[in-house]
């Protein structure tokens, strides 16, 4: 493995902070592209540095936290033995950092999360099936008198379980920044936006409680509602099936091309930019979300579009 | 070249001594034999120039570092197996993924060990929970520039450990 100059490694790290740990603007991406093209060693450094986030985020977060906590405790116990064997040399064990960080973690940590382009399905201890869409995070609290799942980022589908291990079936809530959603024996999806959440019920019913609202709103099977901090609202837009992502597809009916492309972009790192001239073109069909680049090629063929790859992170889409 | 820094003469003159030194320290001849082997591998593949001086002091310094690695690794494997055993089966990863995850955790663990507490927390939020720098800044109540500096520092450490050690 060749050694790269320190300065180039630092530059690559600065870019990865801008691109992977912030939301990059098009200008940033353009500058990044210039940097990448300037020298082969830039590309090499970028490839090395950008893998860390991808690889580390694949480990299930609960497993990772529990293992790291437990290894720390063990090492504390072994410390005495090691100090003796090593005559105090070469030791840098730290001092109880996991223990002191323990309380804030319990609060702030997501149990389960997905990265861009990833989906994950889990069965929880009460029998509930939880599916996370791309770039999503939840924490679960299933041990109290109510079962609660806090949606921190992105989108989930819930298929509530029978909770058979408990004397009585406990109420089930999904908490969002805009207020809680109570499930009533049910299957439903919740997606967070900046100023509210969209809730769609496929089976059973749910009740929405806006954080600053007076009363709850009942959402029945087949309905689709907006949950804001102060109010709820029934939605009528049916251009896209709100739940088909859980089956790995976007189902579009007479959908604006720009809207479809914006949806596809959620599953891919970087920017997909739609030319204004084709934004209002209408599309119908079923689009795979596992291999977004293939889906884009397919879309380009059927809708007569041209894809221009400015970088692998930045694609322009326009009419032919 | 001096006999002190010629790897072959290091091996013939000091291998037996190093192995018995390791047996004494570790109380286990299998691990000691493996580690002695690793020490000489390290000497042979090392890119930088070996220090002049007492070769046994040089060898035992490398051996001590490898012993710490070895114990950490074993502790992590045990913690990993305990954690898996305590989890509901539905939440455990598929067998083919486990080795990859374990290797990843070893890397994270080694990086964490070299970082100061606030940087560790930022690193864990960034890598495990998928937080962005603005989210980390909010969570740790520091400025965005500080959050970015923390993450950059941790990434530099990842890089050094993987590509330069």
């Amino acid at each position: 493995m060749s050694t790269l100059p320190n300065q180039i490694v630092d530059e690559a790290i600065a870019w990865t902070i801008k691109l992977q740990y912030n939301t990059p603007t098009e200008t940033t991406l353009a500058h990044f592209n210039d940097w990448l093209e300037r020298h082969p060693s830039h590309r090499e450094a970028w490839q090395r540095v950008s893998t860390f986030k991808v690889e580390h985020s694949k480990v299930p977060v609960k497993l990772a936290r529990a293992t790291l906590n437990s290894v720390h405790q063990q090492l504390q116990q072994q410390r005495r033995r090691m100090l003796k064997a090593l005559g105090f040399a070469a030791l840098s064990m730290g001092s109880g950092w996991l223990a002191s960080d323990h309380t804030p973690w319990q609060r702030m940590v997501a149990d389960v999360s997905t990265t861009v382009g990833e989906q994950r399905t889990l069965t929880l201890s009460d029998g509930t099936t939880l599916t996370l869409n791309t770039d999503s995070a939840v924490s679960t609290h299933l041990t109290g008198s109510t079962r609660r799942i806090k949606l921190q980022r992105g989108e989930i589908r819930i298929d509530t379980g029978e909770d058979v291990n408990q004397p009585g079936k406990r109420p089930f809530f999904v908490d969002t920044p805009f207020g809680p959603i109570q499930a009533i024996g049910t299957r439903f999806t919740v997606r967070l936006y900046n100023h509210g959440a969209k809730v769609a019920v496929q089976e059973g019913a749910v009740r929405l409680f806006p954080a600053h609202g007076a009363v709850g709103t009942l959402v029945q099977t087949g309905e689709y509602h907006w949950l804001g901090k102060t109010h709820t609202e029934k939605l009528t837009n049916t251009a896209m099936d709100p739940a088909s992502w859980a089956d790995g597809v976007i189902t579009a009916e007479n959908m604006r091309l720009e809207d479809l492309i914006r949806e596809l972009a959620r599953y891919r790192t970087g920017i997909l930019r739609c030319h204004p001239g084709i934004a209002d073109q209408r599309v119908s069909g079923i689009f795979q979300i596992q291999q977004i680049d293939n889906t884009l090629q397919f879309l380009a063929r059927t809708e007569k579009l041209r894809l221009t790859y400015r970088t692998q992170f930045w694609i322009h889409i326009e009419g032919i | 070249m001096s006999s002190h820094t010629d790897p072959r003469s290091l091996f013939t003159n000091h291998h037996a001594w190093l192995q018995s030194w390791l047996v004494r320290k570790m109380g286990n001849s299998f691990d000691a034999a493996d580690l002695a082997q690793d020490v000489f591998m390290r000497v042979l593949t090392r890119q930088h120039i070996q220090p002049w001086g007492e070769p046994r002091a040089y060898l035992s310094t490398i051996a001590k570092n490898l012993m710490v690695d070895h114990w950490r690794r074993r502790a992590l494997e045990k913690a990993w197996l305990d954690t898996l055993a305590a989890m509901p089966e539905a939440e455990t990863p598929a067998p083919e993924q486990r080795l990859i995850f374990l290797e990843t955790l070893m890397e994270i663990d080694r990086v964490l060990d070299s970082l100061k507490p606030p940087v560790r927390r930022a690193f864990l939020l960034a890598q495990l929970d998928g937080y962005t720098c603005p989210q980390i800044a909010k969570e740790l109540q520091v400025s965005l520039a500080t959050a970015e500096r923390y993450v950059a520092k941790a990434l530099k450490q990842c890089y050094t450990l993987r590509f330069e050690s």
Side-chain angles (χ1 to χ4, degrees), chain A residues 1-4 6 9-10 13-14 16-18 20-23 45 48-49 51-68 70-71 74-75 78 81-82 84-87 89-95 97-98 101 104-105 107-111 113 121-125 135 137 152-153, chain B residues 21 25-26 47 61 63-65 67-68 71-72 74-80 82-84 87-88 90-93 100-102 104-105 107-109 111-114 117 120-121 123-136 139-140 144 147-149 151-153 155-160 162-164:
Chain A
M1 188 87 53
S2 65
T3 306
L4 293 169
N6 219 6
V9 174
D10 288 340
I13 289 173
T16 192
I17 296 282
K18 288 194 176 93
Q20 293 184 318
Y21 299 89
N22 279 291
T23 313
R48 291 184 186 185
V49 168
T51 57
F52 291 115
K53 186 181 171 65
V54 179
E55 290 176 19
H56 293 172
S57 64
K58 283 191 177 132
V59 187
V61 61
K62 215 169 177 173
L63 188 59
R65 294 270 184 195
T67 304
L68 293 170
S70 147
V71 75
Q74 270 194 56
L75 285 171
Q78 283 189 8
R81 203 185 92 206
M82 292 173 68
K84 198 175 148 205
L86 298 177
L91 259 184
S92 60
M93 302 300 298
S95 53
W97 57 274
L98 280 156
D101 285 354
W105 277 8
R107 191 164 40 77
M108 72 196 188
V109 155
D111 292 343
S113 60
T121 298
L122 304 158
T123 306
L124 306 178
S125 56
D135 194 20
Q152 295 173 332
R153 187 174 81 236
Chain B
W21 184 87
K25 297 288 179 196
M26 304 183 78
Q47 285 170 0
T61 303
K64 281 173 185 176
N65 286 328
M67 253 157 59
V68 173
W71 278 325
R72 281 201 87 88
R74 239 180 22 195
L76 195 92
E77 269 169 13
K78 183 173 181 308
W80 163 262
D82 289 350
T83 307
L84 275 184
M87 278 184 119
E91 289 178 38
T92 61
I100 301 169
F101 290 163
L102 179 60
T104 307
L105 282 176
E107 177 174 77
I108 293 173
D109 181 55
V111 171
L112 286 174
D113 192 45
S114 63
R120 282 177 192 144
R121 290 177 58 190
F123 178 61
L124 287 168
L125 287 171
Q127 304 304 93
L128 299 181
D129 300 301
Y131 276 41
T132 60
C133 282
Q135 288 172 314
I136 293 168
E139 193 64 54
L140 301 185
L144 177 60
E148 291 184 341
R149 209 178 57 238
V151 176
K153 197 166 199 158
L155 287 173
K156 186 63 184 282
Q157 193 59 28
C158 289
Y159 185 91
T160 307
R162 191 187 292 187
F163 296 109
E164 285 174 356

Side-chain angles (χ1 to χ4, degrees), chain A residues 1 6 18-19 29 35 46 70 78 96 107 112 122 163 170-171 173 201 206 213 222 228 237 253 274 294 301 307 320:
Chain A
M1 188 87 53
N6 219 6
K18 288 194 176 93
L19 265 56
L29 284 166
W35 177 82
W46 169 253
S70 147
Q78 283 189 8
R107 191 164 40 77
V112 192
L122 304 158
D163 204 19
R170 296 167 299 161
F173 290 92
V201 178
V206 303
N237 176 16
E253 201 183 316
C274 178
N294 292 348
R301 274 202 308 279
L307 307 177
I320 293 178

Side-chain angles (χ1 to χ4, degrees), chain A residues 264 286-300:
Chain A
L264 292 171
I286 295 173
F287 303 95
Q288 301 289 332
I289 53 185
Q290 309 294 349
Q291 302 283 339
I292 289 295
D293 286 54
N294 292 348
T295 301
L296 289 173
Q297 300 290 350
F298 170 78
L299 197 62

Side-chain angles (χ1 to χ4, degrees), chain A residues 124-153:
Chain A
L124 306 178
S125 56
D126 69 330
T128 293
T129 305
L130 166 68
T131 306
L132 282 83
N133 200 2
T134 175
D135 194 20
S136 300
V138 300
S139 56
T140 58
H141 309 275
L142 299 175
T143 47
S145 57
T146 57
R147 297 172 283 166
R148 308 196 85 95
I149 289 182
K150 186 174 175 195
L151 178 56
Q152 295 173 332
R153 187 174 81 236

